[in-house]
Amino acid sequence: EAQVTQNPRYLITVTGKKLTVTCSQNMNHEYMSWYRQDPGLGLRQIYYSMNVEVTDKGDVPEGYKVSRKEKRNFPLILESPSPNQTSLYFCASSSGTSGRSNEQFFGPGTRLTVL
Amino acid sequence: GESVGLHLPTLSVQEGDNSIINCAYSNSASDYFIWYKQESGKGPQFIIDIRSNMDKRQGQRVTVLLNKTVKHLSLQIAATQPGDSAVYFCAENIEADGLTFGKGTHLIIQP
């Protein structure tokens, strides 16, 4: 089954404790992206990647890192999480190199709470 | 910055009626638009897309209309069903950039 998976689905952590949210897709997509979703603000792009070893900042990259060592994986790293990073995070992938495709797939989401 | 928005945060329609969800965008350079549906507890799901060289595109029970003159995008859902209840987002894309999403409209279906 074609899908985007994220882990963990739920995470409660404390300020400053490094964490990684994994994202994996099995569709051989080139483009992958991370978003955060907050009430009243909609979905905002954090980082995106058009291909292996190519990553770019989105609209709200501060406090986040990503890597794209393999085509299928695009982990989101919070080196020192803070409470304002409490949010719902979505990973997405598509076959287009800039997200332009009718094959847009989103993961199920990771709900992160930073205390 | 936010260049895509929606006119109404909530839209309530009777089951069986047609729904029209609107979206305004401000960046005239945007040339690709997508509508997503997000059900409670799930990630956004692609519904339909349209490129700027078109003004209308139809899918199954859905139609997207694009008016570039007034920078307006709409999603029409025919014969609305209970399963259509969700938050609907429009998103715009400029070549080589990522997607910019609107804040979403919550579609509520009344029996």
Side-chain angles (χ1 to χ4, degrees), chain A residues 19-91:
Chain A
L19 67 92
T20 299
V21 184
T22 64
C23 173
S24 182
Q25 49 93 4
N26 61 1
M27 297 164 280
N28 202 37
H29 285 167
E30 293 171 334
Y31 182 89
M32 297 186 73
S33 181
W34 275 103
Y35 298 87
R36 60 178 290 173
Q37 186 174 33
D38 302 288
L41 297 176
L43 283 153
R44 294 179 292 168
Q45 192 175 50
I46 302 171
Y47 268 94
Y48 62 97
S49 169
M50 293 191 193
N51 215 325
V52 175
E53 301 293 359
V54 179
T55 62
D56 286 290
K57 295 179 180 179
D59 296 323
V60 287
E62 294 77 20
Y64 304 94
K65 287 173 58 178
V66 292
S67 69
R68 188 87 182 275
K69 293 184 172 58
E70 306 165 279
K71 199 170 190 178
R72 64 181 292 129
N73 296 322
F74 190 45
L76 179 69
I77 303 154
L78 285 72
E79 294 273 3
S80 183
S82 61
N84 65 10
Q85 292 179 299
T86 292
S87 187
L88 179 59
Y89 291 87
F90 289 101
C91 180

Side-chain angles (χ1 to χ4, degrees), chain B residues 33-97:
Chain B
F33 304 88
I34 308 172
W35 279 101
Y36 286 93
K37 173 186 180 183
Q38 186 176 21
E39 296 174 280
S40 181
K42 297 183 180 180
Q45 179 183 9
F46 173 90
I47 302 174
I48 192 167
D49 60 358
I50 188 168
R51 300 191 184 277
S52 60
N53 61 352
M54 304 171 68
D55 53 20
K56 181 179 180 179
R57 191 164 188 225
Q58 288 184 291
Q60 189 177 19
R61 275 201 314 118
V62 296
T63 301
V64 56
L65 298 177
L66 176 62
N67 185 329
K68 293 181 288 292
T69 302
V70 295
K71 299 190 188 72
H72 185 266
L73 189 70
S74 70
L75 177 70
Q76 300 178 4
I77 304 173
T80 310
Q81 303 169 358
D84 294 329
S85 179
V87 176
Y88 290 81
F89 295 93
C90 64
E92 65 174 325
N93 179 254
I94 304 169
E95 184 66 53
D97 284 346

Side-chain angles (χ1 to χ4, degrees), chain A residues 96-108:
Chain A
T97 54
S98 64
R100 303 169 70 101
S101 165
N102 62 355
E103 298 293 337
Q104 299 276 348
F105 290 87
F106 278 79

